[in-house]
Amino acid sequence: RWGGFLEQVDQFDPHFFGIAPREAVHMDPQQRLLLEVAWEALEDAGQVPEHLTDTRTGVFIGISTNDYGRIQLSDPAAIGAYAGTGGALSIAANRLSYLLDLRGPSMAVDTACSSSLVAVHLACQSLWTGESTLALAGGVNVILSPAWAINFTKAGAMAPDGRCKAFDARANGYVRSEGAGVVVLKPLSSALADSDPIYAVINGSTVNQDGRTNGIMAPSRWSQEAMLREAYRRAGISPGQVQYVEAHGTGTFLGDPIEAQALGTVLAMDRPPGSRCAVGSVKTNIGHLESAAGIAGLIKVALMLKHRMVPPSLHFQEPNPHIPFDQLPLRVVQTLEPWPEASSPALAGVSSFGFGGTNAHVVVEEAPPIPVARLHKEESAHSEAYLLPLSARSPEALRALARAYQDFLATAASGDGVSLRDVCYTASARRSHHDFRLAFVGHSREELAEHLEAFLQEEARTGLSSGRKSRGRRRKLVFVFPGQGPRWWPLDGELLEREPMFRAILERCDQLVRQHGDWSLLGELTADEAETRLNGTDIAQPTLFAIQVALASLWRSWGIEPDAVVGHSMGEVSAACVAGALTLEDAVRVIFDRGRLIKQVTGRGKMAVVERSLEQAQAALAGYEDRLSIAASNGPTSTVLSGEPAALKEVLASLEREDVFCRLLESVDFASHSPQMEPLQSELERALEGLQPRPASLPIYSTVTGQASDGLTFDPNYWARNLREPVLFSTALGQLLDDDHEIFLELSPHPILVAAVSQCLHQHGEGRAVLPSLRGAGSIHPAAGAFISRPIPGSASAAGWRPQRWMVALAGNERG
């Protein structure tokens, strides 16, 4: 008459999993429970379900009872179209594979009480053979009928007092309980490479059978001993090294002595004198979960290894007289205690036996030490902005999630060592992003908690944005690489320290530059303003290229992938490299020779921006064609002129008399894309002889032709044309907009093209945005687009650049 029952097993949110309510009512609650627990396991493991689509992810589920199916099928008139899939045990695993679109093996396992640990064994085998790349393994048990309890009572297996007293003299049976457990399994090398959280490592496992005994429900000591020896042989571990075993431990007067004798015999091998292995059974705490019992024991052990603590087994007062504890190297844990000290890694075993004789054992080791990344600064110093994105399948669920995060942040603020960077990273990159979305930007736990409270109180607040994902399409993103613009100063060292990916690309570019010249790219970037040579074109262009490529790698490491790229003048070299048309080595070669050749004509030319369309600017140059050229068409009414300084001043004076806005680029002392570049074209072609472009992995919108390119045209002749011909940036931008690209991200140390892009976007209507990556010290950006709530200013320093923090409501952008 006793049982360990779950509350609300009749509750389920079918819409979350895309299941029609009329189908959900026919689904066994065990299937519903597995869906919920498997999703939570994936979240805990940092595995985004959408990223598992079409992968060799296996599903192995232990399940034995079918109470709900029998209830449904007992009334023929009530049998519906979904009764078959709703009640079949195989569907418990198959539905997970179906809903998550997984292509690995998918199977339900029924070996009674050992089902879920056998499922873990099969999952490990699948991973070890390469059949699966990731696996969900677990078990479930829901009790909807007294039938089996009546059976087991008559068989003498049930404890009359509803208490499982493992290894105790009062042991007289177990109590049936409900529950579900799922673990996410992955090869250790893959988990380490992906920086996944790791609770523990499975070193080996095995399954065997009792064969013929005194009765089909009677266990065999000899089979259990053989199983244990084989498990530790496969794991490459001596049984004497094991410090804890999670026993099957049902609390039956016959079963406990047989298990203890088998354990003690095997664990005595190579064990130091006086050393005793701790044993326990989770069944004393939560009851016997039957087909989910093994996974409950494995999860318990994984948590014990993570926290290096051993919880007590309950109801142990007097040892079972049939277990010679004085002769066996075993002790039952009775109080919460630290993990036993040992020179070797923490090692444990988990046993699970089926009442039909199928036995399983898993050998588990503590997770390897993982270096903890050093926090860049104390979070309380308010030196960095954090973005916390939350999402859910409904407004109500979003509010519940916001409240949960508010409670969590309040707890974390008490000093439990939780990193706010980790919290925000996990929410951003290790979670699914659902339709109803919410984002906060803040500098501390307290500020984020205040934003959460404002959302829950339905208050508008700067730094908070919410909305619903647009249906039907994903917004297309363009990486924009500008040319050499105004002067900019050495890089702030914090960016190099904080972002290893950014620094790694700069270091690689530095190595390649050193192969072509006698200067250091990193040295110039970090030099004092008075000492840096970044004003020189031969230094500036390779350095700017390196920063652009490093920024692209950084954005991509955060999951922000472009759908196309476009480059302005020298920025085309970066675009070609990021799109894969040029290797990094070839791109450095192009930009180095380009900057070196332009250096030869430095001081002979000037450039200016005029508020005129391309056609109007061409008309203004009538009579000056041999000395001046259109250098760039940046926007509908933004054109750059280039050439001989005296001739340029005459044209500007004429335009100013017509009240046309003109601005001479004082910091530029060369004339790109003018007749002065013509003698350099053949030299550049010769310098790049043998350059072989490759097919691009992304569309490149050429600013030489104004059209999309596959990258194969980016040969030496193209780069000679890039040097002389006008930059048709507005033409390329118009083509990008016609091809439905809507989000433009400028990659540069200071936003140069944001205003020009904004002008073009304005002509194409609402719903598009342009954003900068970095901003120079002391600068102010123009508004970047309709989707920007506000810029989050980073602290500016005269010594360098800082990342520009933006909170952007990119509705429908899966990249967040």
Side-chain angles (χ1 to χ4, degrees), residues 240-243 271-272 275 308 339-347 366:
Q241 295 178 281
V242 177
Q243 298 123 21
R271 183 167 294 276
S275 171
R308 300 192 69 83
W339 189 270
E341 290 295 331
S343 57
S344 59
L347 294 168
E366 66 178 324

Side-chain angles (χ1 to χ4, degrees), residues 20 62 394 397 682 762:
S394 68
S682 58
H762 181 71

Side-chain angles (χ1 to χ4, degrees), residues 588-761:
V588 169
R589 177 184 171 193
V590 172
I591 198 66
F592 186 90
D593 285 327
R594 191 183 192 279
R596 174 181 59 81
L597 291 173
I598 293 178
K599 178 70 172 178
Q600 297 176 11
V601 296
T602 297
R604 303 180 193 175
K606 295 296 290 184
M607 303 177 74
V609 179
V610 298
E611 191 176 1
R612 275 288 183 260
S613 68
L614 177 60
E615 294 76 15
Q616 290 171 327
Q618 286 173 332
L621 295 183
Y624 292 92
E625 290 85 355
D626 59 336
R627 293 186 290 167
L628 298 176
S629 286
I630 301 292
S633 172
N634 289 339
T637 59
S638 178
T639 305
V640 180
L641 308 181
S642 178
E644 184 183 295
L648 185 59
K649 288 182 180 179
E650 291 176 15
V651 171
L652 295 182
S654 175
L655 290 171
E656 287 173 346
R657 287 193 292 271
E658 299 175 18
D659 290 330
V660 175
F661 171 79
C662 305
R663 181 165 63 87
L664 193 67
L665 301 179
E666 297 289 353
S667 61
V668 179
D669 56 355
F670 57 91
S672 281
H673 312 285
S674 79
Q676 295 183 14
M677 296 294 111
E678 291 173 4
L680 307 181
Q681 287 183 279
S682 58
E683 289 189 53
L684 184 59
E685 273 200 77
R686 284 194 299 272
L688 299 180
E689 186 176 353
L691 182 75
Q692 293 291 331
R694 304 179 302 178
S697 58
L698 290 170
I700 309 175
Y701 283 71
S702 167
T703 50
V704 172
T705 66
Q707 300 298 316
S709 169
D710 61 4
L712 292 174
T713 60
F714 284 62
D715 58 11
N717 177 260
Y718 181 89
W719 296 113
R721 294 176 62 195
N722 165 276
L723 195 64
R724 169 65 181 92
E725 295 181 22
V727 179
L728 302 179
F729 182 73
S730 62
T731 305
L733 195 60
Q735 190 63 54
L736 281 160
L737 290 167
D738 289 342
D739 291 342
D740 299 323
H741 294 87
E742 296 182 338
I743 310 298
F744 296 82
L745 179 64
E746 182 176 338
L747 287 84
S748 62
H750 178 77
I752 298 169
L753 295 175
V754 163
V757 176
S758 295
Q759 191 180 56
C760 292
L761 298 190

Side-chain angles (χ1 to χ4, degrees), residues 189-511:
S189 57
S190 299
L192 290 171
D194 295 339
S195 299
D196 293 325
I198 302 172
Y199 285 91
V201 179
I202 295 177
N203 283 334
S205 65
T206 194
V207 172
N208 77 352
Q209 234 285 334
D210 285 337
R212 180 173 293 182
T213 60
N214 293 333
I216 195 167
M217 290 178 60
S220 166
R221 171 183 169 181
W222 319 116
S223 290
Q224 290 182 22
E225 286 186 16
M227 174 198 67
L228 292 167
R229 290 192 183 96
E230 179 63 14
Y232 290 105
R233 184 193 69 79
R234 292 186 180 186
I237 292 170
S238 170
Q241 295 178 281
V242 177
Q243 298 123 21
Y244 176 85
V245 170
E246 175 64 19
H248 183 62
T250 52
T252 56
F253 201 73
L254 176 64
D256 284 0
I258 291 176
E259 181 177 13
Q261 289 277 9
L263 267 178
T265 300
V266 175
L267 296 179
M269 296 171 57
D270 302 323
R271 183 167 294 276
S275 171
R276 291 180 176 270
C277 181
V279 296
S281 173
V282 73
K283 296 176 183 65
T284 66
N285 305 87
I286 62 174
H288 190 354
L289 271 60
E290 299 172 331
S291 52
I295 199 67
L298 179 60
I299 290 174
K300 172 188 172 183
V301 166
L303 290 170
M304 290 166 60
L305 290 168
K306 177 179 174 63
H307 298 288
R308 300 192 69 83
M309 296 295 291
V310 183
S313 281
L314 306 183
H315 318 306
F316 184 78
Q317 297 177 3
E318 182 181 347
N320 189 317
H322 296 285
I323 302 176
F325 280 107
D326 57 337
Q327 302 172 26
L328 299 174
L330 304 176
R331 64 181 183 89
V332 179
V333 181
Q334 296 179 265
T335 59
L336 179 66
E337 60 184 53
W339 189 270
E341 290 295 331
S343 57
S344 59
L347 294 168
V350 182
S351 290
S352 193
F353 309 146
F355 79 134
T358 300
N359 309 310
H361 191 80
V362 172
V363 183
V364 190
E365 181 179 321
E366 66 178 324
I370 298 175
V372 178
R374 179 176 61 86
L375 290 179
H376 306 291
K377 278 194 173 183
E378 289 294 324
E379 291 170 359
S380 59
H382 296 256
S383 61
E384 185 170 356
Y386 297 92
L387 170 67
L388 177 62
L390 307 179
S391 67
R393 293 282 176 90
S394 68
E396 297 78 14
L398 185 59
R399 290 182 62 83
L401 184 63
R403 193 170 291 108
Y405 266 86
Q406 186 183 40
D407 294 341
F408 174 77
L409 289 173
T411 303
S414 64
D416 59 2
V418 175
S419 163
L420 192 55
R421 291 174 61 87
D422 289 345
V423 171
C424 293
Y425 165 76
T426 301
S428 299
R430 294 291 189 128
R431 291 289 183 268
S432 293
H433 296 292
H434 305 298
D435 287 358
F436 292 88
R437 300 180 174 187
L438 176 64
F440 310 94
V441 174
H443 294 80
S444 65
R445 293 176 174 83
E446 293 77 15
E447 189 174 355
L448 289 176
E450 290 172 5
H451 288 325
L452 286 161
E453 179 62 26
F455 169 74
L456 292 171
Q457 297 299 326
E458 299 183 354
E459 298 174 1
R461 177 186 283 259
T462 300
L464 180 159
S465 182
S466 62
R468 187 173 185 180
K469 170 187 170 184
S470 298
R471 294 282 186 174
R473 62 185 177 88
R474 183 180 61 79
R475 299 166 69 80
K476 295 167 73 174
L477 172 69
V478 180
F479 278 3
V480 180
F481 300 93
Q484 184 178 347
R487 296 168 64 176
W488 37 274
W489 301 120
L491 186 65
D492 186 346
E494 287 187 8
L495 186 57
L496 290 171
E497 292 177 8
R498 291 183 176 184
E499 305 298 348
M501 173 68 73
F502 184 82
R503 184 178 184 90
I505 298 298
L506 288 183
E507 288 175 343
R508 178 58 181 151
C509 289
D510 184 64
Q511 293 172 358

Side-chain angles (χ1 to χ4, degrees), residues 44-106:
D44 188 62
Q47 306 299 307
V48 181
E50 289 82 1
H51 296 173
L52 302 178
T53 296
D54 201 23
T55 63
R56 297 197 314 274
T57 297
V59 179
F60 303 83
I61 298 298
I63 181 170
S64 296
T65 60
N66 193 18
D67 292 347
Y68 198 69
R70 291 202 305 273
I71 292 170
Q72 287 195 86
L73 299 178
S74 63
D75 181 4
I79 297 174
Y82 298 110
T85 54
L89 297 186
S90 60
I91 300 298
N94 300 159
R95 194 181 293 276
L96 273 169
S97 300
Y98 170 76
L99 290 176
L100 297 176
D101 197 11
L102 311 177
R103 304 305 169 87
S106 181

